[in-house]
Amino acid sequence: MLFIHGSGFTSEIFARQVARFPGALAPNLPGHASAGAGSSVAEFADFIEEYIRAHDLADVVLCGNSLGGAIALEIGVRRNPAVRALALIGSGSRLKVAPVFLEGLRDTFESTAREIAKFLYANPTPERVDDAWGSMQRVGQDQTLRDFLACNAFDLTERLGELTLPVLALAGESDLMTPPKYARALADRIAGAQVQILPQAGHLAMVERPADTNEALIRFVATL
C-alpha cells in the first residue's frame, strides 16, 4: 500500500492507515514538509513513479485522497507496471475548485484555509478544523494554492476508459468537496470499478471513519 495525501496535507493524514497495513508507505509530496515543489498532477505523478522506482516496489496499491486520488489515476492511465490497483478516497476524474476558494487562498490565506477546513468533515469539530487548518499553515500558502490549482486544472474524464486496473472508489456520504456522485461517475466509466459510500464521513473519511476505511481497503485488497 502506498498512500498519497491531498492538497495542503502531508503523509500524517494517513497515520491510521499506515499503522494498519504492514509495510505501507506514505511519502510527502514535494513542497509538503519536504524539498521541492509541485504545481500539477502530472508533476506529482512523476514524483510518485520515481519513488516507486527508487524503492524497487512492485504490486503497489496506490491509495490517494482528493489530489492524491488524481495522482493515482494519472499513474493508472500511464500503465506503470509496478502498480497493481487504485483505491481512491474522496476523489474523482475532474476536481474543479470553487473560484472563491482559489481567490481566498491567494488573497486571504489564513481565513480561507480555516473555511476550507470546515468543509472537510461531516462533523467539523473545533479540534478537527484546527488540525486541518494547521496542516495547511505548515505546508504554507504557496504550495497549498499550487495544490488547489493543480486540482482545478485536472480532468482525466475522457481517459478513464484506458484504465485496466482494479479500482475502488470510496466516498464519504457527507463529502462536500467531492460528493459521492464523483465516486459513482468513476464506476460508470471504469470497467469493474467498485464503489463504497461511508456513512458519517466527509472528505477526509480516513480521519473521521478510520476503521471503516481500513476495512474497505482490506476487503478490496483481498479481491486482487
Side-chain angles (χ1 to χ4, degrees):
M1 297 291 290
L2 196 161
F3 294 94
I4 311 172
H5 64 80
S7 301
F9 287 94
T10 67
S11 59
E12 292 179 4
I13 201 71
F14 278 114
R16 297 285 292 275
Q17 286 66 53
V18 171
R20 180 64 181 81
F21 291 90
L25 298 168
N28 286 334
L29 294 172
H32 300 73
S34 60
S39 58
S40 72
V41 169
E43 288 177 11
F44 288 131
D46 291 343
F47 168 81
I48 293 296
E49 288 195 298
E50 179 54 36
Y51 184 92
I52 290 171
R53 284 191 293 271
H55 290 77
D56 196 24
L57 303 179
D59 291 328
V60 177
V61 178
L62 294 178
C63 180
N65 170 240
S66 196
L67 170 63
I71 296 165
L73 284 170
E74 170 67 26
I75 294 172
V77 298
R78 294 180 182 185
R79 301 194 178 186
N80 187 308
V83 176
R84 179 69 181 86
L86 310 179
L88 315 172
I89 303 175
S91 195
S93 64
R94 185 171 180 266
L95 297 176
K96 287 296 181 184
V97 179
V100 66
F101 284 162
L102 296 177
E103 294 166 8
L105 289 172
R106 185 180 295 111
D107 300 331
T108 55
F109 176 68
E110 292 198 6
S111 60
T112 300
R114 185 168 288 279
E115 281 303 306
I116 290 173
K118 296 175 184 177
F119 279 84
L120 299 178
Y121 304 98
N123 180 20
T125 64
E127 181 180 7
R128 286 172 174 166
V129 171
D130 284 347
D131 284 347
W133 179 79
S135 179
M136 286 183 269
Q137 293 291 306
R138 289 187 294 275
V139 170
Q141 178 178 9
D142 290 346
Q143 187 58 59
T144 299
L145 177 57
R146 283 194 290 268
D147 289 351
F148 278 86
L149 288 170
C151 286
N152 193 56
F154 176 72
D155 188 348
L156 208 66
T157 305
E158 297 306 316
R159 298 189 64 191
L160 290 179
E162 300 174 28
L163 275 170
T164 58
L165 297 171
V167 173
L168 170 66
L170 283 174
E173 182 180 48
S174 301
D175 189 343
L176 299 176
M177 302 292 279
T178 51
K181 67 179 182 180
Y182 283 71
R184 297 188 180 104
L186 288 171
D188 288 343
R189 289 176 173 263
I190 302 172
Q194 303 176 39
V195 176
Q196 183 166 345
I197 310 303
L198 299 179
Q200 301 175 33
H203 193 57
L204 302 180
M206 65 282 190
V207 174
E208 283 195 291
R209 308 292 291 181
D212 291 343
T213 299
N214 291 350
E215 286 305 311
L217 293 174
I218 289 167
R219 287 194 298 270
F220 176 60
V221 170
T223 68
L224 302 178

PDB file of all heavy atoms in Angstrom, residues 71-87:
ATOM      1  N   ILE A  71      -3.642  11.917  -8.595  1.00  0.00           N
ATOM      2  CA  ILE A  71      -2.293  11.443  -8.909  1.00  0.00           C
ATOM      3  C   ILE A  71      -2.323   9.944  -9.207  1.00  0.00           C
ATOM      4  O   ILE A  71      -1.692   9.473 -10.165  1.00  0.00           O
ATOM      5  CB  ILE A  71      -1.337  11.754  -7.742  1.00  0.00           C
ATOM      6  CG1 ILE A  71      -1.204  13.270  -7.566  1.00  0.00           C
ATOM      7  CG2 ILE A  71       0.032  11.108  -7.964  1.00  0.00           C
ATOM      8  CD1 ILE A  71      -0.589  13.684  -6.238  1.00  0.00           C
ATOM      9  N   ALA A  72      -3.053   9.192  -8.394  1.00  0.00           N
ATOM     10  CA  ALA A  72      -3.173   7.748  -8.623  1.00  0.00           C
ATOM     11  C   ALA A  72      -3.805   7.461  -9.981  1.00  0.00           C
ATOM     12  O   ALA A  72      -3.359   6.564 -10.717  1.00  0.00           O
ATOM     13  CB  ALA A  72      -3.983   7.112  -7.500  1.00  0.00           C
ATOM     14  N   LEU A  73      -4.857   8.194 -10.334  1.00  0.00           N
ATOM     15  CA  LEU A  73      -5.496   8.000 -11.639  1.00  0.00           C
ATOM     16  C   LEU A  73      -4.532   8.319 -12.783  1.00  0.00           C
ATOM     17  O   LEU A  73      -4.494   7.596 -13.788  1.00  0.00           O
ATOM     18  CB  LEU A  73      -6.740   8.883 -11.747  1.00  0.00           C
ATOM     19  CG  LEU A  73      -7.981   8.416 -10.994  1.00  0.00           C
ATOM     20  CD1 LEU A  73      -9.038   9.513 -10.986  1.00  0.00           C
ATOM     21  CD2 LEU A  73      -8.558   7.138 -11.623  1.00  0.00           C
ATOM     22  N   GLU A  74      -3.769   9.390 -12.641  1.00  0.00           N
ATOM     23  CA  GLU A  74      -2.794   9.750 -13.675  1.00  0.00           C
ATOM     24  C   GLU A  74      -1.781   8.621 -13.874  1.00  0.00           C
ATOM     25  O   GLU A  74      -1.461   8.251 -15.016  1.00  0.00           O
ATOM     26  CB  GLU A  74      -2.083  11.039 -13.277  1.00  0.00           C
ATOM     27  CG  GLU A  74      -0.885  11.417 -14.134  1.00  0.00           C
ATOM     28  CD  GLU A  74      -1.233  11.786 -15.558  1.00  0.00           C
ATOM     29  OE1 GLU A  74      -2.374  12.236 -15.803  1.00  0.00           O
ATOM     30  OE2 GLU A  74      -0.361  11.622 -16.439  1.00  0.00           O
ATOM     31  N   ILE A  75      -1.295   8.057 -12.782  1.00  0.00           N
ATOM     32  CA  ILE A  75      -0.342   6.954 -12.889  1.00  0.00           C
ATOM     33  C   ILE A  75      -1.037   5.720 -13.473  1.00  0.00           C
ATOM     34  O   ILE A  75      -0.442   4.964 -14.246  1.00  0.00           O
ATOM     35  CB  ILE A  75       0.275   6.648 -11.507  1.00  0.00           C
ATOM     36  CG1 ILE A  75       1.125   7.845 -11.053  1.00  0.00           C
ATOM     37  CG2 ILE A  75       1.121   5.376 -11.552  1.00  0.00           C
ATOM     38  CD1 ILE A  75       1.616   7.748  -9.630  1.00  0.00           C
ATOM     39  N   GLY A  76      -2.308   5.550 -13.133  1.00  0.00           N
ATOM     40  CA  GLY A  76      -3.058   4.415 -13.660  1.00  0.00           C
ATOM     41  C   GLY A  76      -3.165   4.429 -15.171  1.00  0.00           C
ATOM     42  O   GLY A  76      -2.981   3.389 -15.825  1.00  0.00           O
ATOM     43  N   VAL A  77      -3.458   5.570 -15.752  1.00  0.00           N
ATOM     44  CA  VAL A  77      -3.581   5.632 -17.216  1.00  0.00           C
ATOM     45  C   VAL A  77      -2.216   5.563 -17.886  1.00  0.00           C
ATOM     46  O   VAL A  77      -2.134   5.239 -19.081  1.00  0.00           O
ATOM     47  CB  VAL A  77      -4.356   6.880 -17.687  1.00  0.00           C
ATOM     48  CG1 VAL A  77      -5.771   6.870 -17.146  1.00  0.00           C
ATOM     49  CG2 VAL A  77      -3.626   8.161 -17.331  1.00  0.00           C
ATOM     50  N   ARG A  78      -1.148   5.826 -17.138  1.00  0.00           N
ATOM     51  CA  ARG A  78       0.200   5.646 -17.687  1.00  0.00           C
ATOM     52  C   ARG A  78       0.587   4.168 -17.755  1.00  0.00           C
ATOM     53  O   ARG A  78       1.593   3.814 -18.358  1.00  0.00           O
ATOM     54  CB  ARG A  78       1.223   6.401 -16.827  1.00  0.00           C
ATOM     55  CG  ARG A  78       1.085   7.907 -16.851  1.00  0.00           C
ATOM     56  CD  ARG A  78       2.141   8.554 -15.962  1.00  0.00           C
ATOM     57  NE  ARG A  78       2.015  10.005 -15.920  1.00  0.00           N
ATOM     58  CZ  ARG A  78       2.878  10.805 -15.295  1.00  0.00           C
ATOM     59  NH1 ARG A  78       3.942  10.295 -14.666  1.00  0.00           N
ATOM     60  NH2 ARG A  78       2.697  12.119 -15.303  1.00  0.00           N
ATOM     61  N   ARG A  79      -0.167   3.346 -17.053  1.00  0.00           N
ATOM     62  CA  ARG A  79       0.049   1.888 -17.040  1.00  0.00           C
ATOM     63  C   ARG A  79       1.431   1.525 -16.504  1.00  0.00           C
ATOM     64  O   ARG A  79       2.145   0.700 -17.083  1.00  0.00           O
ATOM     65  CB  ARG A  79      -0.193   1.294 -18.423  1.00  0.00           C
ATOM     66  CG  ARG A  79      -1.599   1.566 -18.927  1.00  0.00           C
ATOM     67  CD  ARG A  79      -1.976   0.728 -20.120  1.00  0.00           C
ATOM     68  NE  ARG A  79      -3.358   0.994 -20.524  1.00  0.00           N
ATOM     69  CZ  ARG A  79      -4.013   0.334 -21.469  1.00  0.00           C
ATOM     70  NH1 ARG A  79      -3.417  -0.658 -22.109  1.00  0.00           N
ATOM     71  NH2 ARG A  79      -5.263   0.642 -21.764  1.00  0.00           N
ATOM     72  N   ASN A  80       1.773   2.103 -15.380  1.00  0.00           N
ATOM     73  CA  ASN A  80       3.019   1.752 -14.706  1.00  0.00           C
ATOM     74  C   ASN A  80       2.958   0.284 -14.292  1.00  0.00           C
ATOM     75  O   ASN A  80       2.059  -0.122 -13.566  1.00  0.00           O
ATOM     76  CB  ASN A  80       3.209   2.644 -13.474  1.00  0.00           C
ATOM     77  CG  ASN A  80       4.552   2.453 -12.809  1.00  0.00           C
ATOM     78  OD1 ASN A  80       4.945   1.344 -12.489  1.00  0.00           O
ATOM     79  ND2 ASN A  80       5.258   3.542 -12.596  1.00  0.00           N
ATOM     80  N   PRO A  81       3.908  -0.542 -14.733  1.00  0.00           N
ATOM     81  CA  PRO A  81       3.822  -1.986 -14.470  1.00  0.00           C
ATOM     82  C   PRO A  81       3.956  -2.361 -12.999  1.00  0.00           C
ATOM     83  O   PRO A  81       3.598  -3.478 -12.618  1.00  0.00           O
ATOM     84  CB  PRO A  81       4.986  -2.556 -15.290  1.00  0.00           C
ATOM     85  CG  PRO A  81       5.937  -1.422 -15.464  1.00  0.00           C
ATOM     86  CD  PRO A  81       5.088  -0.197 -15.555  1.00  0.00           C
ATOM     87  N   ALA A  82       4.452  -1.444 -12.169  1.00  0.00           N
ATOM     88  CA  ALA A  82       4.597  -1.743 -10.747  1.00  0.00           C
ATOM     89  C   ALA A  82       3.298  -1.573  -9.975  1.00  0.00           C
ATOM     90  O   ALA A  82       3.189  -1.998  -8.824  1.00  0.00           O
ATOM     91  CB  ALA A  82       5.672  -0.844 -10.125  1.00  0.00           C
ATOM     92  N   VAL A  83       2.306  -0.942 -10.607  1.00  0.00           N
ATOM     93  CA  VAL A  83       1.056  -0.625  -9.903  1.00  0.00           C
ATOM     94  C   VAL A  83       0.020  -1.716 -10.164  1.00  0.00           C
ATOM     95  O   VAL A  83      -0.268  -2.046 -11.305  1.00  0.00           O
ATOM     96  CB  VAL A  83       0.524   0.753 -10.342  1.00  0.00           C
ATOM     97  CG1 VAL A  83      -0.830   1.043  -9.695  1.00  0.00           C
ATOM     98  CG2 VAL A  83       1.536   1.839  -9.979  1.00  0.00           C
ATOM     99  N   ARG A  84      -0.529  -2.238  -9.082  1.00  0.00           N
ATOM    100  CA  ARG A  84      -1.479  -3.350  -9.156  1.00  0.00           C
ATOM    101  C   ARG A  84      -2.929  -2.910  -9.124  1.00  0.00           C
ATOM    102  O   ARG A  84      -3.809  -3.541  -9.723  1.00  0.00           O
ATOM    103  CB  ARG A  84      -1.218  -4.313  -7.978  1.00  0.00           C
ATOM    104  CG  ARG A  84      -2.136  -5.509  -7.887  1.00  0.00           C
ATOM    105  CD  ARG A  84      -1.878  -6.484  -9.013  1.00  0.00           C
ATOM    106  NE  ARG A  84      -2.787  -7.621  -8.943  1.00  0.00           N
ATOM    107  CZ  ARG A  84      -3.995  -7.654  -9.469  1.00  0.00           C
ATOM    108  NH1 ARG A  84      -4.486  -6.595 -10.082  1.00  0.00           N
ATOM    109  NH2 ARG A  84      -4.744  -8.736  -9.381  1.00  0.00           N
ATOM    110  N   ALA A  85      -3.234  -1.816  -8.400  1.00  0.00           N
ATOM    111  CA  ALA A  85      -4.621  -1.374  -8.247  1.00  0.00           C
ATOM    112  C   ALA A  85      -4.643   0.041  -7.691  1.00  0.00           C
ATOM    113  O   ALA A  85      -3.632   0.551  -7.198  1.00  0.00           O
ATOM    114  CB  ALA A  85      -5.384  -2.328  -7.319  1.00  0.00           C
ATOM    115  N   LEU A  86      -5.826   0.664  -7.773  1.00  0.00           N
ATOM    116  CA  LEU A  86      -6.023   2.018  -7.268  1.00  0.00           C
ATOM    117  C   LEU A  86      -7.168   2.034  -6.272  1.00  0.00           C
ATOM    118  O   LEU A  86      -8.233   1.463  -6.527  1.00  0.00           O
ATOM    119  CB  LEU A  86      -6.358   2.984  -8.409  1.00  0.00           C
ATOM    120  CG  LEU A  86      -5.464   3.001  -9.649  1.00  0.00           C
ATOM    121  CD1 LEU A  86      -6.012   4.019 -10.653  1.00  0.00           C
ATOM    122  CD2 LEU A  86      -4.029   3.319  -9.288  1.00  0.00           C
ATOM    123  N   ALA A  87      -6.961   2.717  -5.158  1.00  0.00           N
ATOM    124  CA  ALA A  87      -8.033   2.979  -4.195  1.00  0.00           C
ATOM    125  C   ALA A  87      -8.118   4.492  -4.025  1.00  0.00           C
ATOM    126  O   ALA A  87      -7.122   5.130  -3.668  1.00  0.00           O
ATOM    127  CB  ALA A  87      -7.747   2.299  -2.859  1.00  0.00           C
TER     128      ALA A  87
END
